[in-house]
Amino acid sequence: MKVKHSTWILGLLLFVVSFTQTTQAQSLDEFEDKVTEFTLDNGLTFIIIERPVAPVVSFATYVNVGGANEPVGHTGMAHIFEHMAFKGTHTVGTSNWKEEKKVLKELDNTYQEWLAEKHSTQPDSAKMDTLWSQFEKLQEEAGQYVVNNEFSQIIDRNGGTGMNATTNQDRTNYFYSLPENRLELWFSLESDRFKNPVFREFYKEKEVVREERRMRSESQPIGRLIEEFAAVAFTAHPYGRPTVGWHSDITATTMKDAREFYNTYYVPNNITFAIAGDVDPQEAKKLAEKYFGDMKKGPEPPPVYTKEPEQRGERRFTIQGQSQPFFIMGYHTVAQDHPDSKALQLLGSILSGGRTSILYKRMVEEEQTAMQVSAFNGYPGQKYETLFATLAIPNQNVGVDTMETSILEEIEEIKNEGVSQEALDRARTNARADLIRSLDSNSGLASSLASAENLRGDWRKVFTDIEELNKVTVDDIQRVANKYLTKDNRTVGAIVTEEDSSSEEVADANN
């Protein structure tokens, strides 16, 4: 087991902590040993942050896998497995795992047979009906062994709070908090669910995911717009696929597929744990060895090699419908660790970060053409080359073409005239404040450090980001605007009402 202690970043960390309401000022020497990192022989990384301001400990588990890593034909897989992680283990959530396991195996085999028949060149409807009837009986039989919500109930009974998980294009994370005297309980439960996944109620949970898709992307106009926007903007990179998954892919995914996905990506060298609060690092090390030491080391997960080709011309699309109009526009840019990333981040803040920002003052306050407007770098992910996106919601009787004209005019102004030092300083101050707020709790500390370590290779980048922001100049802002925010590099989309579509198209790109 390798052990490392942070020393060189503690001054920055002290600066951040000094702004929090729950931590008293302390000297560098006092704080020097408060952040400890260690890696087990199997590759599992732990980050321990001592913050004994209350008898509570927060836990964050980050897995370096998201929608961008899913196999072709199985979009939504990362999200489906996220749901599975709450279904229990061989001992939690079941009344008889030995018998349940047999039924689950037969259940999956039957579903695979039904799926193969469904997609055969000449599907036999009678055979499909027979297989589906058998599948439903097996699913009912498997349900007899399920102890519903036992995993979450154990956490609740022990004073746990905030249990949840999220999946995006870049990662999957799990988190909750417990009283400090329940540290070993977390190690026991977390190791059990990641060493012994059972895929309990897999096919029922797929329907929950499918319903989430309906609610997010099909029942919400903005969801439809954003999904279409990514698909149009990315022709090769998996960022163009929805994290929630396509309907047909959700149907096509089996328990066998999910297990292969788990075996590929849920390996120790692809997982990072962060623990923040009233915790003893030495005790955490012992418990980590006890509960996670026997987790088998796996091969390096396959990287994403696909690179989005250079866009050779503007792309446009329009969705017609009976809904509030929306406007979206994006430009291909860079991943979060590229030297230009921080300048693009600050450019987004200058354009739309708060009431003093350029677009807010013009479109929301002065002209009152927009209900809301935002600009930011990093959609739909940040680990790979991404998009600088702008989104605007017009006020009543205002067209999406007005949104486009206003945004493009302000972008051109920045490209030609630059921005003021005052605007840059304000954006930088807001960015630092956002970081400080994100670290103003045990859960925020755990999540931020685990994310940086897992996705970017070093948790210290949470703090060195401040230094990088300070290096950005007004010339950098103007340079990245001219480099990336070009006509040939952009994708433009809108939702327009059916009544307006014949007379109000998204404006031609003549700016």
Side-chain angles (χ1 to χ4, degrees), residues 140-163:
E140 184 177 352
E141 183 179 351
Q144 296 176 2
Y145 301 107
V146 175
V147 180
N148 288 314
N149 303 316
E150 187 174 18
F151 184 88
S152 60
Q153 288 172 2
I154 292 173
I155 294 170
D156 290 342
R157 286 197 302 268
N158 285 273
T161 58
M163 186 181 72

mmCIF file of all heavy atoms in Angstrom, residues 140-163:
data_model
loop_
_atom_site.group_PDB
_atom_site.id
_atom_site.type_symbol
_atom_site.label_atom_id
_atom_site.label_comp_id
_atom_site.label_asym_id
_atom_site.label_seq_id
_atom_site.Cartn_x
_atom_site.Cartn_y
_atom_site.Cartn_z
ATOM 1 N N GLU A 140 -41.704 -12.590 -11.746
ATOM 2 C CA GLU A 140 -42.547 -12.643 -10.554
ATOM 3 C C GLU A 140 -41.942 -13.567 -9.503
ATOM 4 O O GLU A 140 -41.949 -13.260 -8.307
ATOM 5 C CB GLU A 140 -43.946 -13.117 -10.930
ATOM 6 C CG GLU A 140 -44.928 -13.112 -9.777
ATOM 7 C CD GLU A 140 -46.325 -13.518 -10.205
ATOM 8 O OE1 GLU A 140 -46.578 -13.665 -11.422
ATOM 9 O OE2 GLU A 140 -47.173 -13.716 -9.316
ATOM 10 N N GLU A 141 -41.385 -14.681 -9.955
ATOM 11 C CA GLU A 141 -40.757 -15.625 -9.031
ATOM 12 C C GLU A 141 -39.533 -14.999 -8.360
ATOM 13 O O GLU A 141 -39.328 -15.136 -7.155
ATOM 14 C CB GLU A 141 -40.346 -16.898 -9.769
ATOM 15 C CG GLU A 141 -39.747 -17.964 -8.865
ATOM 16 C CD GLU A 141 -39.366 -19.228 -9.620
ATOM 17 O OE1 GLU A 141 -39.722 -19.352 -10.816
ATOM 18 O OE2 GLU A 141 -38.689 -20.088 -9.015
ATOM 19 N N ALA A 142 -38.732 -14.294 -9.145
ATOM 20 C CA ALA A 142 -37.544 -13.637 -8.589
ATOM 21 C C ALA A 142 -37.933 -12.587 -7.558
ATOM 22 O O ALA A 142 -37.242 -12.390 -6.551
ATOM 23 C CB ALA A 142 -36.729 -13.002 -9.705
ATOM 24 N N GLY A 143 -39.056 -11.917 -7.784
ATOM 25 C CA GLY A 143 -39.505 -10.881 -6.875
ATOM 26 C C GLY A 143 -39.862 -11.392 -5.497
ATOM 27 O O GLY A 143 -39.859 -10.622 -4.521
ATOM 28 N N GLN A 144 -40.153 -12.683 -5.381
ATOM 29 C CA GLN A 144 -40.512 -13.263 -4.090
ATOM 30 C C GLN A 144 -39.340 -13.256 -3.103
ATOM 31 O O GLN A 144 -39.539 -13.325 -1.885
ATOM 32 C CB GLN A 144 -41.014 -14.700 -4.274
ATOM 33 C CG GLN A 144 -42.297 -14.794 -5.089
ATOM 34 C CD GLN A 144 -42.711 -16.240 -5.340
ATOM 35 O OE1 GLN A 144 -42.054 -17.173 -4.877
ATOM 36 N NE2 GLN A 144 -43.797 -16.418 -6.079
ATOM 37 N N TYR A 145 -38.115 -13.181 -3.645
ATOM 38 C CA TYR A 145 -36.930 -13.214 -2.789
ATOM 39 C C TYR A 145 -36.414 -11.818 -2.430
ATOM 40 O O TYR A 145 -35.503 -11.684 -1.620
ATOM 41 C CB TYR A 145 -35.804 -13.989 -3.489
ATOM 42 C CG TYR A 145 -36.161 -15.408 -3.824
ATOM 43 C CD1 TYR A 145 -36.420 -15.790 -5.144
ATOM 44 C CD2 TYR A 145 -36.255 -16.380 -2.826
ATOM 45 C CE1 TYR A 145 -36.753 -17.101 -5.463
ATOM 46 C CE2 TYR A 145 -36.587 -17.702 -3.133
ATOM 47 C CZ TYR A 145 -36.839 -18.050 -4.456
ATOM 48 O OH TYR A 145 -37.169 -19.345 -4.763
ATOM 49 N N VAL A 146 -36.995 -10.796 -3.026
ATOM 50 C CA VAL A 146 -36.483 -9.436 -2.860
ATOM 51 C C VAL A 146 -36.956 -8.829 -1.539
ATOM 52 O O VAL A 146 -38.151 -8.858 -1.222
ATOM 53 C CB VAL A 146 -36.919 -8.534 -4.031
ATOM 54 C CG1 VAL A 146 -36.476 -7.088 -3.789
ATOM 55 C CG2 VAL A 146 -36.342 -9.061 -5.346
ATOM 56 N N VAL A 147 -36.007 -8.271 -0.801
ATOM 57 C CA VAL A 147 -36.320 -7.472 0.375
ATOM 58 C C VAL A 147 -36.143 -6.020 -0.064
ATOM 59 O O VAL A 147 -35.021 -5.524 -0.181
ATOM 60 C CB VAL A 147 -35.396 -7.798 1.560
ATOM 61 C CG1 VAL A 147 -35.767 -6.941 2.772
ATOM 62 C CG2 VAL A 147 -35.477 -9.282 1.900
ATOM 63 N N ASN A 148 -37.243 -5.359 -0.343
ATOM 64 C CA ASN A 148 -37.198 -4.044 -0.971
ATOM 65 C C ASN A 148 -36.475 -3.002 -0.113
ATOM 66 O O ASN A 148 -36.710 -2.889 1.092
ATOM 67 C CB ASN A 148 -38.615 -3.546 -1.270
ATOM 68 C CG ASN A 148 -39.252 -4.306 -2.414
ATOM 69 O OD1 ASN A 148 -38.630 -4.525 -3.450
ATOM 70 N ND2 ASN A 148 -40.501 -4.722 -2.236
ATOM 71 N N ASN A 149 -35.587 -2.240 -0.777
ATOM 72 C CA ASN A 149 -34.930 -1.070 -0.186
ATOM 73 C C ASN A 149 -34.124 -1.382 1.079
ATOM 74 O O ASN A 149 -33.901 -0.484 1.901
ATOM 75 C CB ASN A 149 -35.968 0.017 0.141
ATOM 76 C CG ASN A 149 -36.769 0.439 -1.071
ATOM 77 O OD1 ASN A 149 -36.216 0.648 -2.158
ATOM 78 N ND2 ASN A 149 -38.083 0.550 -0.905
ATOM 79 N N GLU A 150 -33.674 -2.608 1.241
ATOM 80 C CA GLU A 150 -32.951 -2.943 2.466
ATOM 81 C C GLU A 150 -31.639 -2.180 2.576
ATOM 82 O O GLU A 150 -31.242 -1.753 3.669
ATOM 83 C CB GLU A 150 -32.678 -4.443 2.554
ATOM 84 C CG GLU A 150 -32.073 -4.841 3.897
ATOM 85 C CD GLU A 150 -31.931 -6.339 4.078
ATOM 86 O OE1 GLU A 150 -31.976 -7.083 3.078
ATOM 87 O OE2 GLU A 150 -31.763 -6.766 5.246
ATOM 88 N N PHE A 151 -30.951 -1.976 1.451
ATOM 89 C CA PHE A 151 -29.684 -1.253 1.479
ATOM 90 C C PHE A 151 -29.882 0.157 2.034
ATOM 91 O O PHE A 151 -29.190 0.587 2.961
ATOM 92 C CB PHE A 151 -29.081 -1.193 0.070
ATOM 93 C CG PHE A 151 -27.723 -0.554 0.010
ATOM 94 C CD1 PHE A 151 -26.583 -1.306 0.200
ATOM 95 C CD2 PHE A 151 -27.583 0.804 -0.240
ATOM 96 C CE1 PHE A 151 -25.321 -0.719 0.154
ATOM 97 C CE2 PHE A 151 -26.344 1.399 -0.288
ATOM 98 C CZ PHE A 151 -25.209 0.637 -0.095
ATOM 99 N N SER A 152 -30.849 0.878 1.482
ATOM 100 C CA SER A 152 -31.091 2.256 1.934
ATOM 101 C C SER A 152 -31.649 2.289 3.356
ATOM 102 O O SER A 152 -31.354 3.220 4.123
ATOM 103 C CB SER A 152 -32.044 2.970 0.977
ATOM 104 O OG SER A 152 -33.289 2.297 0.909
ATOM 105 N N GLN A 153 -32.425 1.283 3.722
ATOM 106 C CA GLN A 153 -32.980 1.251 5.073
ATOM 107 C C GLN A 153 -31.893 1.068 6.124
ATOM 108 O O GLN A 153 -31.982 1.633 7.223
ATOM 109 C CB GLN A 153 -34.025 0.145 5.172
ATOM 110 C CG GLN A 153 -35.324 0.461 4.435
ATOM 111 C CD GLN A 153 -36.267 -0.727 4.380
ATOM 112 O OE1 GLN A 153 -35.981 -1.798 4.923
ATOM 113 N NE2 GLN A 153 -37.399 -0.546 3.715
ATOM 114 N N ILE A 154 -30.869 0.288 5.813
ATOM 115 C CA ILE A 154 -29.752 0.117 6.748
ATOM 116 C C ILE A 154 -29.072 1.461 6.989
ATOM 117 O O ILE A 154 -28.755 1.832 8.118
ATOM 118 C CB ILE A 154 -28.737 -0.910 6.200
ATOM 119 C CG1 ILE A 154 -29.353 -2.315 6.188
ATOM 120 C CG2 ILE A 154 -27.454 -0.902 7.027
ATOM 121 C CD1 ILE A 154 -28.489 -3.358 5.500
ATOM 122 N N ILE A 155 -28.869 2.200 5.918
ATOM 123 C CA ILE A 155 -28.231 3.513 6.039
ATOM 124 C C ILE A 155 -29.121 4.467 6.842
ATOM 125 O O ILE A 155 -28.647 5.186 7.730
ATOM 126 C CB ILE A 155 -27.925 4.073 4.641
ATOM 127 C CG1 ILE A 155 -26.873 3.195 3.954
ATOM 128 C CG2 ILE A 155 -27.448 5.527 4.723
ATOM 129 C CD1 ILE A 155 -26.657 3.497 2.511
ATOM 130 N N ASP A 156 -30.417 4.460 6.549
ATOM 131 C CA ASP A 156 -31.342 5.338 7.274
ATOM 132 C C ASP A 156 -31.356 5.022 8.772
ATOM 133 O O ASP A 156 -31.341 5.933 9.615
ATOM 134 C CB ASP A 156 -32.746 5.205 6.703
ATOM 135 C CG ASP A 156 -32.882 5.799 5.314
ATOM 136 O OD1 ASP A 156 -32.002 6.598 4.928
ATOM 137 O OD2 ASP A 156 -33.854 5.461 4.610
ATOM 138 N N ARG A 157 -31.408 3.744 9.109
ATOM 139 C CA ARG A 157 -31.467 3.347 10.518
ATOM 140 C C ARG A 157 -30.220 3.760 11.290
ATOM 141 O O ARG A 157 -30.257 3.933 12.508
ATOM 142 C CB ARG A 157 -31.663 1.830 10.636
ATOM 143 C CG ARG A 157 -33.054 1.341 10.297
ATOM 144 C CD ARG A 157 -33.277 -0.057 10.835
ATOM 145 N NE ARG A 157 -32.305 -1.010 10.335
ATOM 146 C CZ ARG A 157 -32.465 -1.753 9.238
ATOM 147 N NH1 ARG A 157 -33.571 -1.627 8.504
ATOM 148 N NH2 ARG A 157 -31.543 -2.622 8.867
ATOM 149 N N ASN A 158 -29.134 3.918 10.561
ATOM 150 C CA ASN A 158 -27.872 4.285 11.201
ATOM 151 C C ASN A 158 -27.555 5.771 11.075
ATOM 152 O O ASN A 158 -26.402 6.184 11.236
ATOM 153 C CB ASN A 158 -26.729 3.450 10.626
ATOM 154 C CG ASN A 158 -26.733 2.025 11.144
ATOM 155 O OD1 ASN A 158 -26.168 1.737 12.198
ATOM 156 N ND2 ASN A 158 -27.397 1.126 10.403
ATOM 157 N N GLY A 159 -28.584 6.566 10.816
ATOM 158 C CA GLY A 159 -28.411 8.011 10.792
ATOM 159 C C GLY A 159 -27.845 8.569 9.510
ATOM 160 O O GLY A 159 -27.387 9.718 9.483
ATOM 161 N N GLY A 160 -27.866 7.782 8.443
ATOM 162 C CA GLY A 160 -27.345 8.243 7.161
ATOM 163 C C GLY A 160 -28.236 9.295 6.523
ATOM 164 O O GLY A 160 -29.454 9.306 6.713
ATOM 165 N N THR A 161 -27.627 10.188 5.751
ATOM 166 C CA THR A 161 -28.370 11.231 5.050
ATOM 167 C C THR A 161 -27.768 11.453 3.668
ATOM 168 O O THR A 161 -26.595 11.144 3.422
ATOM 169 C CB THR A 161 -28.320 12.574 5.812
ATOM 170 O OG1 THR A 161 -26.946 12.977 5.974
ATOM 171 C CG2 THR A 161 -28.983 12.468 7.170
ATOM 172 N N GLY A 162 -28.590 12.011 2.777
ATOM 173 C CA GLY A 162 -28.110 12.439 1.468
ATOM 174 C C GLY A 162 -27.698 11.331 0.532
ATOM 175 O O GLY A 162 -26.908 11.561 -0.394
ATOM 176 N N MET A 163 -28.220 10.130 0.684
ATOM 177 C CA MET A 163 -27.807 9.029 -0.181
ATOM 178 C C MET A 163 -28.360 9.221 -1.582
ATOM 179 O O MET A 163 -29.561 9.385 -1.777
ATOM 180 C CB MET A 163 -28.281 7.692 0.373
ATOM 181 C CG MET A 163 -27.746 6.518 -0.429
ATOM 182 S SD MET A 163 -28.311 4.916 0.184
ATOM 183 C CE MET A 163 -30.022 4.956 -0.316
#
